[in-house]
């Protein structure tokens, strides 16, 4: 059974940092691209960051470029999202996702979703 489990969320003040982690199991996730989505209250779910199977290719939403960094440790089946200089508009539920291909391309179809973790940034 494929499982993605996020951790590291919480409540922080604007300007602070958080690191989200995602533990993957049930599939060889090191062979596939992975990513992070988020959904803010009243808004559609949006892609935040994506990373190719070996980490050589990354992509970010314009709203987080320069502040967020996606990384992975394939020896541990772990995915990370380092979030610096957080803003109130970053408040959302963040989801770890797994794709069915190795590289990062536009409009990738998500195959697996985590349950999500809440990140709240106060002003």
């Amino acid at each position: 059974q494929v499982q993605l489990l996020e951790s590291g969320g919480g409540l922080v003040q604007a300007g602070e940092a958080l690191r989200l982690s995602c533990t993957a199991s049930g599939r060889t996730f090191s062979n596939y691209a992975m990513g992070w989505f988020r959904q803010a209250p009243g808004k559609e779910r949006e892609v935040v960051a994506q990373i190719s199977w070996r980490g050589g290719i990354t992509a970010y939403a314009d709203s987080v470029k320069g502040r967020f960094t996606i990384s992975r440790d394939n020896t541990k089946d772990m995915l990370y999202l380092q979030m610096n200089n957080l803003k109130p508009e970053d408040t959302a539920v963040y989801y770890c996702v797994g794709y069915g291909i190795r590289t990062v391309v536009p409009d990738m179809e998500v195959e697996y979703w985590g349950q999500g973790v809440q990140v709240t940034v106060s002003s």
Side-chain angles (χ1 to χ4, degrees), residues 7-13 15-21 67-69 80-86 90 94 117-121:
S7 61
L11 172 64
V12 297
Q13 293 188 336
E16 293 184 342
L18 275 177
R19 188 176 83 152
L20 302 183
S21 299
R67 299 188 298 121
F68 290 13
T69 302
Y80 305 101
L81 185 67
Q82 178 66 43
M83 306 184 293
N84 296 331
N85 190 22
L86 282 160
D90 295 318
Y94 284 72
V117 63
Q118 178 69 46
V119 172
T120 303
V121 185

Side-chain angles (χ1 to χ4, degrees), residues 57-110:
I57 301 173
T58 58
Y60 297 92
D62 288 342
S63 58
V64 306
K65 281 181 181 177
R67 299 188 298 121
F68 290 13
T69 302
I70 188 171
S71 62
R72 65 192 298 166
D73 184 345
N74 287 342
T75 65
K76 300 179 181 178
D77 282 337
M78 293 290 295
L79 179 71
Y80 305 101
L81 185 67
Q82 178 66 43
M83 306 184 293
N84 296 331
N85 190 22
L86 282 160
K87 303 176 181 181
E89 51 264 42
D90 295 318
T91 295
V93 176
Y94 284 72
Y95 298 89
C96 172
V97 303
Y99 296 98
I101 61 175
R102 290 186 172 186
T103 190
V104 174
V105 296
D107 302 320
M108 297 166 65
E109 183 176 350
V110 175

